Amino acid sequence: MRVAAPGDRVVSYANRLIKYVGVVQDFARLAPRPPGFHELGKHWGEIGWLLPVEWKVLPQPVHPRELVEQLGPLLPKKYSPFNPVTGDGNQKAYFAEISSETFELLIPVIEAPPIPNPVHGMDALVRVDDALQDSIATDQSLDATTKQQLILARHGQGSFRSRVIGRYKKCVLTGVESPELLVASHIKPWRACSDSGERLSAENGLLLTPNADRLFDRGLLTFADDGAAKVSLALSPAELEKLGLAQACSDVVASFSEATREFLAFHRRNVFLVP
């Protein structure tokens, strides 16, 4: 899922038919398992990947079995979405890569696909966060004060912000000290936290300027255990320079607690983009 990039084309295969074609709008982001999956997703983990795709219905469904003679030689030998002999779907393949030649064989010529719009991906994440916030608000096991603080923490506010400011005092990347210019950012995303403790813990927070927070949240910036900044290759040096962070990213050496280093390891594995 994390290999998929904005602009990649995707086909949807179900019940031996391809009925939809889509374009990836943004990189996959961590998100909790949708509650509506029920029995369908009972074997999946509680946290997975949300890949925003804009879908379009094909004028006519495509039957891969009818194209098996041409399709077979084009399929990858490993992790193939289809059986090269029968053309049936591989039940163990949930999300598989195919070549441009395979895509063009399967999908008839249609109008140009839409240009990817990361806003669509952000909208999907907002809906996920809204649903999670609703579940917190109705959780009978939580008292009213805790509910309020968890909801405020979603936006880096409340007691979470106070604790992060108390720990760092300034941006860990740029050194900016004015509180009104700083964002309390979760290392392990709010939506991906396993419990209230992680959502409210200062150990799971960093103090960053808004531009650095944006990069960190998008997986374009992270930190090593020794405090050195790491910039994703998905962000060009020119863009980093325009943001005014190039020098800070080369100089910074922050100091993190052991618990924070564990959260940062999670961020490097699951949020940081490695093209």
Side-chain angles (χ1 to χ4, degrees):
M1 296 288 280
R2 300 201 73 200
V3 174
D8 285 350
R9 298 174 296 178
V10 185
V11 297
S12 173
Y13 175 82
N15 300 318
R16 296 185 175 181
L17 294 173
I18 295 173
K19 295 183 180 181
Y20 301 89
V21 61
V23 175
V24 176
Q25 301 296 298
D26 200 357
F27 294 103
R29 307 287 289 279
L30 280 176
R33 183 178 64 190
F37 275 40
H38 301 301
E39 287 298 308
L40 182 65
K42 66 181 180 180
H43 298 302
W44 293 8
E46 290 298 321
I47 298 296
W49 302 105
L50 185 154
L51 183 68
V53 177
E54 184 170 330
W55 296 102
K56 179 179 179 61
V57 181
L58 291 173
Q60 294 292 332
V62 175
H63 299 253
R65 296 183 70 182
E66 296 177 356
L67 302 168
V68 66
E69 290 188 6
Q70 304 117 287
L71 185 62
L74 297 175
L75 293 173
K77 298 187 182 302
K78 205 174 181 184
Y79 308 124
S80 173
F82 303 108
N83 185 302
V85 177
T86 66
D88 288 334
N90 183 345
Q91 295 300 312
K92 295 182 180 180
Y94 172 73
F95 192 67
E97 184 177 10
I98 59 175
S99 65
S100 297
E101 292 81 5
T102 306
F103 182 92
E104 290 162 7
L105 171 65
L106 291 169
I107 305 302
V109 177
I110 57 176
E111 62 265 28
I115 297 173
N117 183 355
V119 172
H120 294 174
M122 294 304 297
D123 289 345
L125 287 172
V126 168
R127 291 193 295 272
V128 169
D129 284 353
D130 286 347
L132 183 53
Q133 179 172 313
D134 289 343
S135 70
I136 290 173
T138 57
D139 189 338
Q140 298 300 314
S141 69
L142 299 173
D143 60 72
T145 300
T146 301
K147 289 179 183 180
Q148 180 187 38
Q149 291 305 320
L150 288 171
I151 291 171
L152 287 171
R154 169 186 173 182
H155 302 288
Q157 299 298 321
S159 62
F160 172 72
R161 176 177 172 82
S162 298
R163 292 168 183 171
V164 175
I165 289 177
R167 173 173 292 274
Y168 291 105
K169 306 294 191 299
K170 61 184 179 180
C171 172
V172 300
L173 181 71
T174 65
V176 170
E177 297 181 7
S178 300
E180 64 272 18
L181 300 178
L182 299 174
V183 177
S185 181
H186 283 89
I187 302 172
K188 184 177 183 180
W190 182 86
R191 74 183 67 86
C193 289
S194 58
D195 54 34
S196 301
E198 287 189 342
R199 291 193 174 98
L200 297 177
S201 173
E203 306 282 4
N204 185 27
L206 292 180
L207 206 55
L208 297 165
T209 53
N211 53 353
D213 168 71
R214 180 68 169 176
L215 295 181
F216 188 75
D217 179 66
R218 297 283 297 168
L220 297 170
L221 169 71
T222 192
F223 294 91
D225 284 347
D226 64 2
K230 296 169 65 69
V231 179
S232 171
L233 294 177
L235 178 67
S236 72
E239 293 290 88
L240 187 67
E241 188 71 42
K242 290 175 184 176
L243 286 166
L245 295 174
Q247 187 63 46
C249 286
S250 64
D251 289 348
V252 67
V253 179
S255 178
F256 301 122
S257 68
E258 182 177 351
T260 297
R261 288 197 295 269
E262 290 179 7
F263 282 116
L264 285 170
F266 179 94
H267 187 273
R268 292 193 298 270
R269 288 193 309 270
N270 299 285
V271 180
F272 188 58
L273 293 174
V274 183

